[in-house]
Structure formats: structure tokens, C-alpha cells
Amino acid sequence: MISVAIMGHGVVGSGVAEIITTHKNKLFSSIGEEVYIKHILDLREFPDSPLADRFTKNFDDILNDVEVRVVAEVMGGINPAYDYTKKLLKAGKSVVTSNKELVAAKGAELLAIAKENNANFLFEASVGGGIPIIRPMNQCLVANNVKEVAGILNGTTNFILTKMIDEGMNFDTALKLAQDLGFAERNPEADVEGHDACRKICILASLAFGKHVYPDNVHTEGITKITLDDVKYASAYKSVIKLIGKVKILDDGKMDILVAPMLIPKKSQLANIDYEFNGIMVRGDCTGDVVFYGKGAGKLPTASAVVADIIDCCKHLKTRKYLFWADGTNDSILPYNESETAVYLRLSAESKDNAIAKAKEVFGDVTVIEPKEEIAQTVAVVTPVLKIQEIESKASALESSGINVLSKIRIGDL
Ligand code: HSE
């Protein structure tokens, strides 16, 4: 019998306890031993839980229990998860986590501590919920030089955008629905402002390129400024709007990395990934594009990835799985202003002809988008590919000439 502990009994934590309990025989046949949940750490009371006798409010009950070999950290947030994880790894216990905030902020350090203490620190559930992505990148695709990773990495925002696109639902109603379904973070600002997707692309970039990428160094935009008019114009441009996390390695070794809403062609592999589903494309120099697709949020999909890591740790109690990246620095990232893209602009237009003429004057050869039904007082164009700093200065010039730039969304070449 292998004793494990779970820290946190929220959406994911309760799912982990449920899967270990309901899939007891499956776990036994995979490991050859029973997995026993010895402690569950949570400050709340759960008197009606079938595991009520295992709950503790005292972290030391887990830390000091020599029988506990593997701990699932599913509390979320940096504190106290960081402190607890460090202490557990230093005590030689393996830790698995779904906590993308923790891995994105402290991954390099925690992986180094795990290595020093011959323990494992695994985090399959931190990106893509139930979709296998960390292990495939670290094992199956490891012979490739990865050139680019891009994907829809946040279920909540993808759910909101799908509801806006398919049903014309407004933003607030769609967000409330995502919260009720348990996809959204405790503070949904992390979802809608792009921070959650940023943490996930940082984890994937660190894994792909071997150096820790910190979220503070990555340009991040959310979806709060997207309107139903943008959705209509995007459709007329044979595109959909998706929140994309993307990292590309450039010839000089710098990473072009960002999170932003993008218009992506309807024929793109990522365009039909809807609702809480995530899709991640990994471009390897040997494999070409490999795409991973599945439920990126929700109790059981995410918990299944946590339990898979628990199983892996149980199978490797005496050995370390090789999963490692070094600390990183800001100079490995291309400054955002220097990245290049075409951009969709929605412009205020008392006279459409005048707005289009001004846009052409400033940007040169723009493509004018013709929506199916006329959208009053606005016009939309797509600029040529330019550096972001040029886009910004030309957009300012347009504003100075009396044309308001109402929306600015990148065109994703995916
Ligand atoms: N809030 C996250 C999402 C949960 O919506 O994708 C899964 O990481």
C-alpha cells in the first residue's frame, strides 16, 4: 500500500479523491499496490464526505508522516503552496500539482529542489487540464527541436468566446455560466485578462526551450475588449477570434512569446476548438505539427491528469523522472514591440469611404472587410504585416487624423 496526501479539497482536489476512490482497481492494476489517501488538507469542514476521517487543517500532519510518499498539491495560488511544496520536496516526498501559477513562477527552483532530494515534481495537470501535453513534450517529442508552440490554453475564455460567436451571448452572461460550471479561476480576472493562459504558455516555453520563462516578462492581453461587432467582422474575414498563447524560437535564439486574442482562419486546426476545450499545436523539426485536443478545464478532466502523475510517482518511488529546465533571464525574450504581425482594426467611420482612405494613407495596402450585414458607423481593415511598434505609431497617426481605433486584434498565422 502506498500512502498519499491531497492538499486542497476544491473542484480539482475533490476530483482527485473521487478518482482514486472510484478507480481503486485501475490504480492497483497499474501500480501493483493500493493507493491509500491518508490525509486531505483543507481549512474547511467536510463532515459528510466518505473520507471525513482523513481531513486535517495541519500541514505538519502530512510533512511529518513518513508513510506519505506522494502529495498532490491542488490548492492553487502561490502561498502557501510554494512553501509547502518546497518543504515536502526537501523531505524527499514527491509532489504533483495542477497549480500553473506555482509552476510558472517557481518551476525552475522547485525542479532543482526535487532533483537535489531525489524526488519527483510533476505537473501534467497545470496545462491543458485533462490533455496530455507535458509528458508528450518531455518524452515522446523530445528528439525534436521544437520551433513553435501555440494554443488555446484557457477553457473559460474559450467558453465565453464560443458563446459570443455561436449564440451572440454577451460577455458577462457567458462568464457567469463558465463560473457556474467550475471552469473559471477563483478570481476570473486571471482567465479573462489572459494571465492563466500566460502562465501555461510560460510552462510550455520553459519545457520546450529549457529556460524558465517568467509570466511578468510576457506580453499578455485578455478578451475583455472583444465586442460582438468584432466577432461579426472576424466571421466576414473567414476567421474566428480565439485567445492564443504562442511561443516561437527565432533564428537568433530569442523567443517571440505572447498571449493575445487573434483572428485565426476558420480552416485552422485551432478554429473549431470550442467551449472549455483546449488545443495545443507543437511544431517539431522532425514531426511537423502535432496537435493535442481535449477538455482543458473542469473537475474530472483535470483531476485525471493529477492522478496520472500520482500513479507515475508511485511507480518511480526510488527513481527520478527526468524533467528539468534551468533558470531563465529576460534577455532571451524578443521585446514585444519588435514582434511582427498583421492586425485587424475596427475604425469609427462617420464616412466609411473617408475612414478607408485614411487607413490606406497611413498603413498602405489594407484589406477592407465587408460584413454580411452593414455594421453602423464602423469599418474594419486588416493591415500588412508590420512590427508592433509601427502598428502602434500608425494607429496613433490615424487617431490624430480623426479616425478612432475601436479595436486592434492580431491576425494569427495558425
Ligand atoms: N480557469 C482555467 C481555465 C482552469 O479556464 O482554463 C484550468 O486551468
Side-chain angles (χ1 to χ4, degrees), residues 12 98 100 125-130 152-159 178 182-188 190-192 196-197 200 276-278 295-298 302:
V12 179
S98 57
K100 50 262 159 144
S126 65
V127 181
I152 295 167
L153 300 170
N154 180 266
T156 301
T157 45
N158 204 43
F159 182 88
F183 307 145
E185 298 299 304
R186 245 176 298 173
N187 174 4
D191 294 301
V192 298
D196 179 74
K200 291 167 178 168
E276 77 273 29
F277 284 79
N278 285 189
K295 283 193 177 164
T302 310

Side-chain angles (χ1 to χ4, degrees), residues 286-303:
C286 306
T287 54
D289 293 359
V290 181
V291 179
F292 299 85
Y293 168 76
K295 283 193 177 164
K299 176 176 166 171
L300 292 181
T302 310

Side-chain angles (χ1 to χ4, degrees), residues 6 50 59 128 169 217 228-229 261 267 299 320-321 335 367:
I6 306 170
F59 166 68
M169 188 180 275
N217 296 334
L228 288 173
D229 281 350
K267 61 177 172 26
K299 176 176 166 171
R320 265 201 75 249
K321 292 190 56 98
T367 305

